[in-house]
Amino acid sequence: MKIAIAGASGQAGSRITAELARRGHAVTAIARNPEKIADLPGVTAKKGDVNDEAALAALWVGHDAAISSVHFSVSDPAKLIGAAKASGTGRYLVVGGAGSLEVAPGVRLVTTPTFPAQYKAEASKGAEFLDLLRREKDLNWTFLSPSALFVAGERTGKFRLGADQLLTAADGKSWISFEDFAVALADETERPAHIRRRFTVGY
């Protein structure tokens, strides 16, 4: 497949790029500083700005799927969605956040009293992004939310998938490594199972 990813030099984006490369896909890796993108087989680094809708759309043209892995607080979901639609890409996948996941029916994690204040603005923007996607009628989108803790770790290939509820392990911890998140997103890119839906991944 030909897959484009915006935010390819970030924590999640770099792992997703590496995972897609190891599977033999042709990857266009887009970042403000393309020199930070690892030199991997099948990966072409490109300079791009996620806030330039027309330019991003042009970079995404001709790809089977486009992925955005960017901070919500420094990007505009309307522009990202607009770029995906204008590019004509067959799939649009978003690296989501955990804040919009439910901890009880109708209760999002970001609204709970113990949610860390320093992450609230970013998480709230992520929830707004998801709500905007849910109003899209024509775009084949997928939004993958990590568990509460999203950290560097190992690629085990062993994890659980969920829908809109926060996943918690038997020990009470809710977490996923960047590496295994990348596996789950690559799996979804190759074998679509959550069209116009959000899903989540965790241990």
Side-chain angles (χ1 to χ4, degrees):
M1 294 176 69
K2 289 186 66 178
I3 303 165
I5 175 168
S9 64
Q11 293 276 30
S14 60
R15 268 77 164 192
I16 295 164
T17 300
E19 181 65 30
L20 293 171
R22 73 181 288 168
R23 298 185 186 208
H25 296 294
V27 182
T28 301
I30 302 161
R32 283 176 299 179
N33 300 296
E35 66 276 6
K36 293 181 179 180
I37 295 168
D39 185 13
L40 297 167
V43 174
T44 302
K46 296 274 189 179
K47 184 178 178 65
D49 179 357
V50 296
N51 289 307
D52 187 334
E53 184 177 331
L56 184 60
L59 287 169
W60 281 351
V61 165
H63 292 84
D64 301 303
I67 300 168
S68 65
S69 178
V70 298
H71 288 293
F72 303 123
S73 55
V74 296
S75 59
D76 181 344
K79 288 182 178 179
L80 289 165
I81 292 169
K85 292 169 75 172
S87 73
T89 184
R91 293 282 308 286
Y92 177 50
L93 301 102
V94 178
V95 174
S100 58
L101 290 166
E102 294 184 351
V103 293
V107 180
R108 284 176 161 174
L109 179 63
V110 68
T111 66
T112 59
T114 56
F115 192 87
Q118 66 266 36
Y119 302 126
K120 199 152 193 171
E122 176 76 7
S124 296
K125 286 272 191 180
E128 290 172 13
F129 197 160
L130 177 59
D131 291 340
L132 198 59
L133 282 169
R134 283 175 166 162
R135 294 196 289 271
E136 280 297 323
K137 304 299 182 189
D138 304 318
L139 186 63
N140 286 335
W141 62 270
T142 299
F143 188 99
L144 177 54
S145 288
S147 289
L149 295 175
F150 195 21
V151 294
E154 296 181 7
R155 181 191 187 278
T156 69
K158 297 175 182 178
F159 44 76
R160 293 183 294 147
L161 299 181
D164 288 313
Q165 289 72 43
L166 182 73
L167 293 175
T168 305
D171 61 3
K173 191 175 179 182
S174 175
W175 72 292
I176 189 70
S177 70
F178 293 124
E179 291 77 6
D180 275 338
F181 180 96
V183 173
L185 191 68
D187 287 348
E188 175 66 26
T189 306
E190 293 176 338
R191 299 181 297 279
H194 302 88
I195 295 292
R196 297 192 183 93
R197 288 165 57 197
R198 182 262 291 282
F199 72 115
T200 186
V201 58
Y203 296 123

